[in-house]
Amino acid sequence: MMHFTLKHLRYLHTAGQAGSIAKAAQELRISQSSIVAAIDLIEQQLGFDVFLRVPSSGIKPTPAGRDVLGRIGRYLSDTRAFETELDAMSGDSGGVLRLALHTASAKVIVHPVLQVFAQRHPDVRVEITDGDLTFLRNALQNGDVDVVLPFRRADAFDLGFTPQLRTRPFAVLRADHPLAKNNTVSLAELAPLPLVLLDVPAARDRYPDLFTSRDLEPTIRHHVRSIDVARSLVACGLGYSLMNIRDPHIREDELGIRNVAISDDIYAPVYGLAYAKDLRRSPTVERFINIAQDLAEQGAYRQLVIHPEGQPLAPL
């Protein structure tokens, strides 16, 4: 029979996510010796090493250790859901929502749902982290977060998913560029122009593929990892960029740019909330998902999308 506590499991899981005993101790605000003791206890009872201790590089999970960490993550997630359900039964409307945001595109999508959720459920503590798609998927599968926002439907093939909006790539041009005077621009017109490419996983291949699928070759001149930097380079006249979500807080006229719809028939991906479909969700998480779905049905995200007039987007 195994003899370790929920606290030991949390210590070990946090160490695995941090990749360092020192970082885990700092995050949990406990001593490193407490984490070492928890790891030693669990490894001794399992009969194998969960981590490899790598001098000057922290700790790395063994193949068996990765399986253990995944199972512990799912168990901890179920435990949190159970605790929240008990709180709800006792009349406590609070709870915890652990939300992970996609760094590159969360800014304009997360605001409506968080604002409404906070107004309706002020007693809920919202814990937020952010990262790239790999980090987000791992966080869900390990049970470290409840919901990821935004996530592309095409990337959520093995996850639960609630759609929020269908986007469509558009061109960002300097305001005084001749093509910026038009309501639409074609990929053939854009191809010879210098492209400021967003060099992030969700964009670095997908945007060039828009051209190559039509036997066109984009002229990639600059690679940047920030949407704001891309807009700045466009405003400086260093090229155009491609994006698929409009930021309604950006004043295009003040920045000296213009967003122009692409006239070609191109793929319009769907974005929404992703969550681990095989885990029991707490009432708090269900409320958050329901609010997001209601907002999508009410058209709360229409202002984020740019598409040619007369070409409505397909339903979600």
Side-chain angles (χ1 to χ4, degrees):
M1 178 179 293
M2 298 290 181
H3 297 285
F4 46 73
T5 66
L6 186 61
K7 178 177 68 176
H8 293 139
L9 294 178
R10 285 175 174 154
Y11 288 1
L12 182 138
H13 192 257
T14 301
Q17 293 302 297
S20 163
I21 291 174
K23 290 180 180 178
Q26 185 177 14
E27 180 178 337
L28 294 169
R29 297 182 180 180
I30 60 174
S31 67
Q32 295 186 38
S33 61
S34 296
I35 294 181
V36 171
I39 293 174
D40 288 344
L41 173 66
I42 293 175
E43 287 184 332
Q44 181 179 9
Q45 295 194 42
L46 289 175
F48 58 81
D49 289 338
V50 175
F51 297 114
L52 293 173
R53 277 70 163 179
V54 182
S56 74
S57 298
I59 56 176
K60 294 183 179 179
T62 63
R66 282 193 292 271
D67 182 50
V68 169
L69 289 171
R71 291 172 183 269
I72 291 176
R74 292 189 288 273
Y75 173 74
L76 292 176
S77 180
D78 278 348
T79 300
R80 283 185 286 265
F82 177 67
E83 291 172 346
T84 304
E85 288 175 358
L86 290 182
D87 288 339
M89 291 175 63
S90 66
D92 183 0
S93 62
V96 179
L97 174 70
R98 298 167 304 137
L99 180 64
L101 308 178
H102 183 210
T103 305
S105 53
K107 175 183 175 184
V108 295
I109 296 180
V110 72
H111 182 264
V113 63
L114 268 184
Q115 185 177 44
V116 174
F117 184 79
Q119 290 172 348
R120 294 184 185 176
H121 306 288
D123 296 332
V124 173
R125 185 175 81 252
V126 181
E127 299 178 352
I128 297 178
T129 186
D130 72 307
D132 60 18
L133 290 176
T134 300
F135 167 80
L136 299 180
R137 176 174 286 280
N138 289 338
L140 275 179
Q141 293 176 334
N142 292 334
D144 298 322
V145 300
D146 300 309
V147 181
V148 165
L149 172 70
F151 211 84
R152 198 162 59 117
R153 173 182 280 160
D155 298 320
F157 53 89
D158 58 348
L159 300 169
F161 183 80
T162 296
Q164 285 185 286
L165 75 161
R166 182 183 294 277
T167 67
R168 197 178 193 278
F170 58 87
V172 184
L173 294 157
R174 180 167 164 148
D176 60 3
H177 192 282
L179 293 177
K181 300 175 183 178
N182 303 328
N183 291 327
T184 63
V185 62
S186 70
L187 291 172
E189 291 174 304
L190 293 172
L193 304 179
L195 170 60
V196 181
L197 179 65
L198 285 172
D199 194 1
V200 295
R204 68 168 63 105
D205 295 323
R206 183 151 42 92
Y207 289 151
D209 285 347
L210 295 176
F211 295 91
T212 56
S213 64
R214 288 162 178 77
D215 295 324
L216 298 170
E217 189 67 31
T219 308
I220 301 174
R221 188 65 53 82
H222 307 285
H223 292 77
V224 299
R225 297 185 59 82
S226 164
I227 293 175
D228 291 331
V229 171
R231 288 195 187 99
S232 296
L233 295 186
V234 170
C236 292
L238 298 181
Y240 74 98
S241 191
L242 294 171
M243 300 179 188
N244 64 354
I245 299 177
R246 174 181 174 270
D247 187 343
H249 304 105
I250 296 292
R251 292 291 302 272
E252 298 169 28
D253 53 348
E254 293 181 359
L255 192 55
I257 62 174
R258 182 163 184 259
N259 298 326
V260 181
I262 294 175
S263 58
D264 302 69
D265 182 15
I266 54 180
Y267 171 63
V270 173
Y271 286 85
L273 280 70
Y275 37 87
K277 63 182 178 182
D278 296 328
L279 294 182
R280 180 176 53 181
R281 294 186 294 277
S282 71
T284 298
V285 175
E286 289 291 349
R287 288 192 287 267
F288 184 82
I289 293 173
N290 290 337
I291 287 173
Q293 189 167 21
D294 289 344
L295 287 173
E297 293 174 354
Q298 295 164 12
Y301 303 100
R302 288 174 187 156
Q303 61 180 331
L304 309 182
V305 181
I306 294 177
H307 59 88
E309 293 184 14
Q311 297 185 30
L313 294 173
L316 295 175

mmCIF file of all heavy atoms in Angstrom, residues 272-308:
data_model
loop_
_atom_site.group_PDB
_atom_site.id
_atom_site.type_symbol
_atom_site.label_atom_id
_atom_site.label_comp_id
_atom_site.label_asym_id
_atom_site.label_seq_id
_atom_site.Cartn_x
_atom_site.Cartn_y
_atom_site.Cartn_z
ATOM 1 N N GLY A 272 -11.619 29.088 -30.161
ATOM 2 C CA GLY A 272 -12.519 28.982 -29.025
ATOM 3 C C GLY A 272 -11.796 28.524 -27.777
ATOM 4 O O GLY A 272 -10.576 28.731 -27.635
ATOM 5 N N LEU A 273 -12.536 27.891 -26.864
ATOM 6 C CA LEU A 273 -11.995 27.382 -25.613
ATOM 7 C C LEU A 273 -11.694 25.898 -25.757
ATOM 8 O O LEU A 273 -12.481 25.149 -26.320
ATOM 9 C CB LEU A 273 -13.011 27.542 -24.476
ATOM 10 C CG LEU A 273 -13.168 28.889 -23.797
ATOM 11 C CD1 LEU A 273 -13.820 29.883 -24.729
ATOM 12 C CD2 LEU A 273 -14.015 28.726 -22.533
ATOM 13 N N ALA A 274 -10.568 25.488 -25.220
ATOM 14 C CA ALA A 274 -10.211 24.069 -25.194
ATOM 15 C C ALA A 274 -10.099 23.613 -23.743
ATOM 16 O O ALA A 274 -9.711 24.382 -22.862
ATOM 17 C CB ALA A 274 -8.900 23.821 -25.929
ATOM 18 N N TYR A 275 -10.445 22.354 -23.515
ATOM 19 C CA TYR A 275 -10.367 21.790 -22.177
ATOM 20 C C TYR A 275 -10.232 20.274 -22.314
ATOM 21 O O TYR A 275 -10.546 19.705 -23.363
ATOM 22 C CB TYR A 275 -11.606 22.138 -21.345
ATOM 23 C CG TYR A 275 -12.886 22.151 -22.145
ATOM 24 C CD1 TYR A 275 -13.625 20.991 -22.336
ATOM 25 C CD2 TYR A 275 -13.335 23.319 -22.737
ATOM 26 C CE1 TYR A 275 -14.795 20.994 -23.087
ATOM 27 C CE2 TYR A 275 -14.510 23.340 -23.492
ATOM 28 C CZ TYR A 275 -15.228 22.176 -23.665
ATOM 29 O OH TYR A 275 -16.368 22.184 -24.416
ATOM 30 N N ALA A 276 -9.736 19.653 -21.294
ATOM 31 C CA ALA A 276 -9.551 18.197 -21.319
ATOM 32 C C ALA A 276 -10.924 17.534 -21.266
ATOM 33 O O ALA A 276 -11.641 17.650 -20.274
ATOM 34 C CB ALA A 276 -8.680 17.753 -20.152
ATOM 35 N N LYS A 277 -11.307 16.839 -22.320
ATOM 36 C CA LYS A 277 -12.668 16.310 -22.408
ATOM 37 C C LYS A 277 -12.912 15.115 -21.495
ATOM 38 O O LYS A 277 -14.068 14.795 -21.200
ATOM 39 C CB LYS A 277 -12.989 15.931 -23.855
ATOM 40 C CG LYS A 277 -12.118 14.831 -24.435
ATOM 41 C CD LYS A 277 -12.491 14.568 -25.887
ATOM 42 C CE LYS A 277 -11.610 13.495 -26.509
ATOM 43 N NZ LYS A 277 -11.948 13.280 -27.939
ATOM 44 N N ASP A 278 -11.864 14.446 -21.060
ATOM 45 C CA ASP A 278 -12.049 13.240 -20.252
ATOM 46 C C ASP A 278 -12.043 13.510 -18.754
ATOM 47 O O ASP A 278 -12.208 12.590 -17.956
ATOM 48 C CB ASP A 278 -10.958 12.214 -20.584
ATOM 49 C CG ASP A 278 -11.044 11.733 -22.022
ATOM 50 O OD1 ASP A 278 -12.176 11.668 -22.536
ATOM 51 O OD2 ASP A 278 -10.000 11.427 -22.614
ATOM 52 N N LEU A 279 -11.834 14.776 -18.366
ATOM 53 C CA LEU A 279 -11.799 15.104 -16.946
ATOM 54 C C LEU A 279 -13.127 15.716 -16.504
ATOM 55 O O LEU A 279 -13.765 16.456 -17.251
ATOM 56 C CB LEU A 279 -10.667 16.103 -16.661
ATOM 57 C CG LEU A 279 -9.239 15.591 -16.871
ATOM 58 C CD1 LEU A 279 -8.243 16.676 -16.507
ATOM 59 C CD2 LEU A 279 -8.979 14.350 -16.040
ATOM 60 N N ARG A 280 -13.515 15.417 -15.305
ATOM 61 C CA ARG A 280 -14.732 16.013 -14.752
ATOM 62 C C ARG A 280 -14.494 17.497 -14.504
ATOM 63 O O ARG A 280 -13.518 17.893 -13.865
ATOM 64 C CB ARG A 280 -15.092 15.310 -13.447
ATOM 65 C CG ARG A 280 -16.342 15.848 -12.792
ATOM 66 C CD ARG A 280 -16.687 15.047 -11.560
ATOM 67 N NE ARG A 280 -15.561 14.962 -10.639
ATOM 68 C CZ ARG A 280 -15.606 14.289 -9.494
ATOM 69 N NH1 ARG A 280 -16.679 13.622 -9.185
ATOM 70 N NH2 ARG A 280 -14.550 14.265 -8.708
ATOM 71 N N ARG A 281 -15.377 18.344 -15.007
ATOM 72 C CA ARG A 281 -15.224 19.789 -14.855
ATOM 73 C C ARG A 281 -16.069 20.271 -13.678
ATOM 74 O O ARG A 281 -17.197 19.826 -13.471
ATOM 75 C CB ARG A 281 -15.629 20.523 -16.140
ATOM 76 C CG ARG A 281 -14.709 20.225 -17.309
ATOM 77 C CD ARG A 281 -15.069 21.079 -18.520
ATOM 78 N NE ARG A 281 -16.377 20.745 -19.061
ATOM 79 C CZ ARG A 281 -16.590 19.741 -19.906
ATOM 80 N NH1 ARG A 281 -15.574 18.971 -20.288
ATOM 81 N NH2 ARG A 281 -17.799 19.505 -20.378
ATOM 82 N N SER A 282 -15.512 21.221 -12.951
ATOM 83 C CA SER A 282 -16.227 21.776 -11.806
ATOM 84 C C SER A 282 -17.346 22.696 -12.281
ATOM 85 O O SER A 282 -17.349 23.159 -13.425
ATOM 86 C CB SER A 282 -15.254 22.580 -10.928
ATOM 87 O OG SER A 282 -14.882 23.785 -11.589
ATOM 88 N N PRO A 283 -18.321 22.996 -11.411
ATOM 89 C CA PRO A 283 -19.364 23.953 -11.782
ATOM 90 C C PRO A 283 -18.797 25.310 -12.184
ATOM 91 O O PRO A 283 -19.347 25.982 -13.061
ATOM 92 C CB PRO A 283 -20.206 24.062 -10.500
ATOM 93 C CG PRO A 283 -19.997 22.752 -9.809
ATOM 94 C CD PRO A 283 -18.582 22.368 -10.101
ATOM 95 N N THR A 284 -17.699 25.726 -11.572
ATOM 96 C CA THR A 284 -17.074 27.005 -11.928
ATOM 97 C C THR A 284 -16.594 26.991 -13.369
ATOM 98 O O THR A 284 -16.817 27.949 -14.121
ATOM 99 C CB THR A 284 -15.885 27.287 -10.990
ATOM 100 O OG1 THR A 284 -16.355 27.391 -9.654
ATOM 101 C CG2 THR A 284 -15.178 28.574 -11.381
ATOM 102 N N VAL A 285 -15.949 25.919 -13.779
ATOM 103 C CA VAL A 285 -15.468 25.810 -15.153
ATOM 104 C C VAL A 285 -16.646 25.751 -16.121
ATOM 105 O O VAL A 285 -16.628 26.387 -17.186
ATOM 106 C CB VAL A 285 -14.569 24.574 -15.314
ATOM 107 C CG1 VAL A 285 -14.156 24.389 -16.770
ATOM 108 C CG2 VAL A 285 -13.323 24.702 -14.435
ATOM 109 N N GLU A 286 -17.675 25.021 -15.779
ATOM 110 C CA GLU A 286 -18.861 24.930 -16.633
ATOM 111 C C GLU A 286 -19.499 26.302 -16.822
ATOM 112 O O GLU A 286 -19.952 26.646 -17.923
ATOM 113 C CB GLU A 286 -19.882 23.958 -16.034
ATOM 114 C CG GLU A 286 -19.471 22.496 -16.110
ATOM 115 C CD GLU A 286 -19.472 21.965 -17.534
ATOM 116 O OE1 GLU A 286 -19.975 22.643 -18.446
ATOM 117 O OE2 GLU A 286 -18.959 20.848 -17.737
ATOM 118 N N ARG A 287 -19.539 27.098 -15.766
ATOM 119 C CA ARG A 287 -20.119 28.441 -15.885
ATOM 120 C C ARG A 287 -19.296 29.296 -16.839
ATOM 121 O O ARG A 287 -19.855 30.054 -17.641
ATOM 122 C CB ARG A 287 -20.215 29.099 -14.503
ATOM 123 C CG ARG A 287 -21.300 28.506 -13.610
ATOM 124 C CD ARG A 287 -21.540 29.387 -12.397
ATOM 125 N NE ARG A 287 -20.446 29.284 -11.440
ATOM 126 C CZ ARG A 287 -20.438 28.442 -10.417
ATOM 127 N NH1 ARG A 287 -21.447 27.602 -10.234
ATOM 128 N NH2 ARG A 287 -19.421 28.419 -9.581
ATOM 129 N N PHE A 288 -17.982 29.184 -16.750
ATOM 130 C CA PHE A 288 -17.115 29.961 -17.639
ATOM 131 C C PHE A 288 -17.339 29.555 -19.100
ATOM 132 O O PHE A 288 -17.461 30.410 -19.987
ATOM 133 C CB PHE A 288 -15.653 29.738 -17.247
ATOM 134 C CG PHE A 288 -14.679 30.570 -18.039
ATOM 135 C CD1 PHE A 288 -14.435 31.891 -17.704
ATOM 136 C CD2 PHE A 288 -14.000 30.029 -19.123
ATOM 137 C CE1 PHE A 288 -13.541 32.657 -18.429
ATOM 138 C CE2 PHE A 288 -13.105 30.781 -19.851
ATOM 139 C CZ PHE A 288 -12.873 32.102 -19.502
ATOM 140 N N ILE A 289 -17.412 28.258 -19.360
ATOM 141 C CA ILE A 289 -17.625 27.765 -20.719
ATOM 142 C C ILE A 289 -18.987 28.223 -21.256
ATOM 143 O O ILE A 289 -19.114 28.642 -22.406
ATOM 144 C CB ILE A 289 -17.510 26.234 -20.756
ATOM 145 C CG1 ILE A 289 -16.065 25.804 -20.455
ATOM 146 C CG2 ILE A 289 -17.947 25.680 -22.113
ATOM 147 C CD1 ILE A 289 -15.880 24.306 -20.302
ATOM 148 N N ASN A 290 -20.005 28.178 -20.400
ATOM 149 C CA ASN A 290 -21.339 28.590 -20.837
ATOM 150 C C ASN A 290 -21.387 30.074 -21.171
ATOM 151 O O ASN A 290 -22.059 30.486 -22.140
ATOM 152 C CB ASN A 290 -22.373 28.268 -19.753
ATOM 153 C CG ASN A 290 -22.599 26.776 -19.595
ATOM 154 O OD1 ASN A 290 -22.351 26.000 -20.520
ATOM 155 N ND2 ASN A 290 -23.057 26.361 -18.433
ATOM 156 N N ILE A 291 -20.689 30.891 -20.397
ATOM 157 C CA ILE A 291 -20.654 32.325 -20.684
ATOM 158 C C ILE A 291 -19.968 32.577 -22.020
ATOM 159 O O ILE A 291 -20.433 33.387 -22.848
ATOM 160 C CB ILE A 291 -19.925 33.083 -19.550
ATOM 161 C CG1 ILE A 291 -20.809 33.130 -18.307
ATOM 162 C CG2 ILE A 291 -19.553 34.501 -19.990
ATOM 163 C CD1 ILE A 291 -20.128 33.705 -17.086
ATOM 164 N N ALA A 292 -18.856 31.882 -22.262
ATOM 165 C CA ALA A 292 -18.144 32.040 -23.536
ATOM 166 C C ALA A 292 -19.038 31.649 -24.707
ATOM 167 O O ALA A 292 -19.048 32.320 -25.750
ATOM 168 C CB ALA A 292 -16.873 31.197 -23.522
ATOM 169 N N GLN A 293 -19.784 30.572 -24.549
ATOM 170 C CA GLN A 293 -20.666 30.118 -25.623
ATOM 171 C C GLN A 293 -21.795 31.126 -25.860
ATOM 172 O O GLN A 293 -22.148 31.426 -27.007
ATOM 173 C CB GLN A 293 -21.249 28.751 -25.275
ATOM 174 C CG GLN A 293 -21.998 28.089 -26.420
ATOM 175 C CD GLN A 293 -22.276 26.621 -26.130
ATOM 176 O OE1 GLN A 293 -22.280 26.193 -24.988
ATOM 177 N NE2 GLN A 293 -22.496 25.852 -27.179
ATOM 178 N N ASP A 294 -22.359 31.673 -24.786
ATOM 179 C CA ASP A 294 -23.422 32.669 -24.928
ATOM 180 C C ASP A 294 -22.914 33.915 -25.653
ATOM 181 O O ASP A 294 -23.604 34.466 -26.527
ATOM 182 C CB ASP A 294 -23.970 33.060 -23.555
ATOM 183 C CG ASP A 294 -24.784 31.948 -22.906
ATOM 184 O OD1 ASP A 294 -25.179 31.011 -23.629
ATOM 185 O OD2 ASP A 294 -24.988 32.010 -21.673
ATOM 186 N N LEU A 295 -21.720 34.372 -25.302
ATOM 187 C CA LEU A 295 -21.156 35.560 -25.948
ATOM 188 C C LEU A 295 -20.952 35.326 -27.439
ATOM 189 O O LEU A 295 -21.213 36.210 -28.267
ATOM 190 C CB LEU A 295 -19.827 35.937 -25.286
ATOM 191 C CG LEU A 295 -19.922 36.549 -23.886
ATOM 192 C CD1 LEU A 295 -18.529 36.721 -23.283
ATOM 193 C CD2 LEU A 295 -20.629 37.899 -23.938
ATOM 194 N N ALA A 296 -20.477 34.123 -27.778
ATOM 195 C CA ALA A 296 -20.264 33.812 -29.198
ATOM 196 C C ALA A 296 -21.587 33.846 -29.956
ATOM 197 O O ALA A 296 -21.668 34.391 -31.065
ATOM 198 C CB ALA A 296 -19.599 32.449 -29.333
ATOM 199 N N GLU A 297 -22.624 33.281 -29.359
ATOM 200 C CA GLU A 297 -23.931 33.248 -30.022
ATOM 201 C C GLU A 297 -24.534 34.642 -30.147
ATOM 202 O O GLU A 297 -25.308 34.914 -31.073
ATOM 203 C CB GLU A 297 -24.874 32.326 -29.243
ATOM 204 C CG GLU A 297 -24.454 30.858 -29.299
ATOM 205 C CD GLU A 297 -25.306 29.970 -28.411
ATOM 206 O OE1 GLU A 297 -26.149 30.528 -27.654
ATOM 207 O OE2 GLU A 297 -25.132 28.739 -28.456
ATOM 208 N N GLN A 298 -24.151 35.549 -29.246
ATOM 209 C CA GLN A 298 -24.653 36.918 -29.291
ATOM 210 C C GLN A 298 -23.847 37.806 -30.238
ATOM 211 O O GLN A 298 -24.187 38.979 -30.415
ATOM 212 C CB GLN A 298 -24.636 37.513 -27.878
ATOM 213 C CG GLN A 298 -25.579 36.835 -26.900
ATOM 214 C CD GLN A 298 -25.264 37.166 -25.463
ATOM 215 O OE1 GLN A 298 -24.480 38.071 -25.165
ATOM 216 N NE2 GLN A 298 -25.874 36.422 -24.538
ATOM 217 N N GLY A 299 -22.789 37.259 -30.827
ATOM 218 C CA GLY A 299 -21.988 38.039 -31.770
ATOM 219 C C GLY A 299 -21.002 38.983 -31.126
ATOM 220 O O GLY A 299 -20.625 40.006 -31.720
ATOM 221 N N ALA A 300 -20.535 38.655 -29.923
ATOM 222 C CA ALA A 300 -19.646 39.554 -29.195
ATOM 223 C C ALA A 300 -18.288 39.732 -29.865
ATOM 224 O O ALA A 300 -17.557 40.669 -29.542
ATOM 225 C CB ALA A 300 -19.443 39.034 -27.767
ATOM 226 N N TYR A 301 -17.940 38.841 -30.807
ATOM 227 C CA TYR A 301 -16.605 38.882 -31.386
ATOM 228 C C TYR A 301 -16.590 39.329 -32.846
ATOM 229 O O TYR A 301 -15.558 39.253 -33.514
ATOM 230 C CB TYR A 301 -15.957 37.501 -31.267
ATOM 231 C CG TYR A 301 -15.888 36.994 -29.846
ATOM 232 C CD1 TYR A 301 -16.826 36.079 -29.373
ATOM 233 C CD2 TYR A 301 -14.917 37.456 -28.972
ATOM 234 C CE1 TYR A 301 -16.787 35.630 -28.063
ATOM 235 C CE2 TYR A 301 -14.870 37.011 -27.663
ATOM 236 C CZ TYR A 301 -15.802 36.097 -27.206
ATOM 237 O OH TYR A 301 -15.756 35.671 -25.913
ATOM 238 N N ARG A 302 -17.727 39.792 -33.358
ATOM 239 C CA ARG A 302 -17.792 40.159 -34.771
ATOM 240 C C ARG A 302 -16.826 41.281 -35.133
ATOM 241 O O ARG A 302 -16.302 41.333 -36.242
ATOM 242 C CB ARG A 302 -19.224 40.576 -35.125
ATOM 243 C CG ARG A 302 -20.198 39.388 -35.180
ATOM 244 C CD ARG A 302 -21.617 39.864 -35.398
ATOM 245 N NE ARG A 302 -22.560 38.756 -35.274
ATOM 246 C CZ ARG A 302 -23.834 38.900 -34.956
ATOM 247 N NH1 ARG A 302 -24.317 40.105 -34.722
ATOM 248 N NH2 ARG A 302 -24.623 37.845 -34.861
ATOM 249 N N GLN A 303 -16.606 42.189 -34.207
ATOM 250 C CA GLN A 303 -15.726 43.321 -34.487
ATOM 251 C C GLN A 303 -14.255 42.904 -34.619
ATOM 252 O O GLN A 303 -13.425 43.705 -35.046
ATOM 253 C CB GLN A 303 -15.844 44.356 -33.371
ATOM 254 C CG GLN A 303 -15.441 43.822 -31.994
ATOM 255 C CD GLN A 303 -15.562 44.859 -30.921
ATOM 256 O OE1 GLN A 303 -15.431 46.053 -31.183
ATOM 257 N NE2 GLN A 303 -15.811 44.432 -29.689
ATOM 258 N N LEU A 304 -13.944 41.662 -34.284
ATOM 259 C CA LEU A 304 -12.561 41.186 -34.379
ATOM 260 C C LEU A 304 -12.236 40.614 -35.752
ATOM 261 O O LEU A 304 -11.085 40.296 -36.023
ATOM 262 C CB LEU A 304 -12.297 40.108 -33.322
ATOM 263 C CG LEU A 304 -12.672 40.436 -31.869
ATOM 264 C CD1 LEU A 304 -12.304 39.275 -30.966
ATOM 265 C CD2 LEU A 304 -12.011 41.716 -31.412
ATOM 266 N N VAL A 305 -13.261 40.468 -36.596
ATOM 267 C CA VAL A 305 -13.097 39.765 -37.869
ATOM 268 C C VAL A 305 -13.220 40.738 -39.033
ATOM 269 O O VAL A 305 -14.085 41.622 -39.029
ATOM 270 C CB VAL A 305 -14.154 38.643 -38.007
ATOM 271 C CG1 VAL A 305 -13.968 37.899 -39.316
ATOM 272 C CG2 VAL A 305 -14.073 37.691 -36.821
ATOM 273 N N ILE A 306 -12.353 40.564 -40.038
ATOM 274 C CA ILE A 306 -12.405 41.365 -41.263
ATOM 275 C C ILE A 306 -12.585 40.417 -42.441
ATOM 276 O O ILE A 306 -11.788 39.484 -42.622
ATOM 277 C CB ILE A 306 -11.114 42.193 -41.442
ATOM 278 C CG1 ILE A 306 -11.017 43.243 -40.325
ATOM 279 C CG2 ILE A 306 -11.079 42.873 -42.801
ATOM 280 C CD1 ILE A 306 -9.754 44.065 -40.361
ATOM 281 N N HIS A 307 -13.637 40.630 -43.203
ATOM 282 C CA HIS A 307 -13.863 39.787 -44.373
ATOM 283 C C HIS A 307 -14.505 40.630 -45.465
ATOM 284 O O HIS A 307 -15.115 41.682 -45.180
ATOM 285 C CB HIS A 307 -14.744 38.582 -44.032
ATOM 286 C CG HIS A 307 -16.090 38.940 -43.490
ATOM 287 N ND1 HIS A 307 -17.193 39.167 -44.288
ATOM 288 C CD2 HIS A 307 -16.522 39.125 -42.212
ATOM 289 C CE1 HIS A 307 -18.229 39.462 -43.536
ATOM 290 N NE2 HIS A 307 -17.859 39.439 -42.274
ATOM 291 N N PRO A 308 -14.386 40.228 -46.726
ATOM 292 C CA PRO A 308 -14.942 41.015 -47.834
ATOM 293 C C PRO A 308 -16.451 41.161 -47.717
ATOM 294 O O PRO A 308 -17.138 40.228 -47.292
ATOM 295 C CB PRO A 308 -14.554 40.206 -49.077
ATOM 296 C CG PRO A 308 -13.439 39.317 -48.630
ATOM 297 C CD PRO A 308 -13.706 39.017 -47.192
#
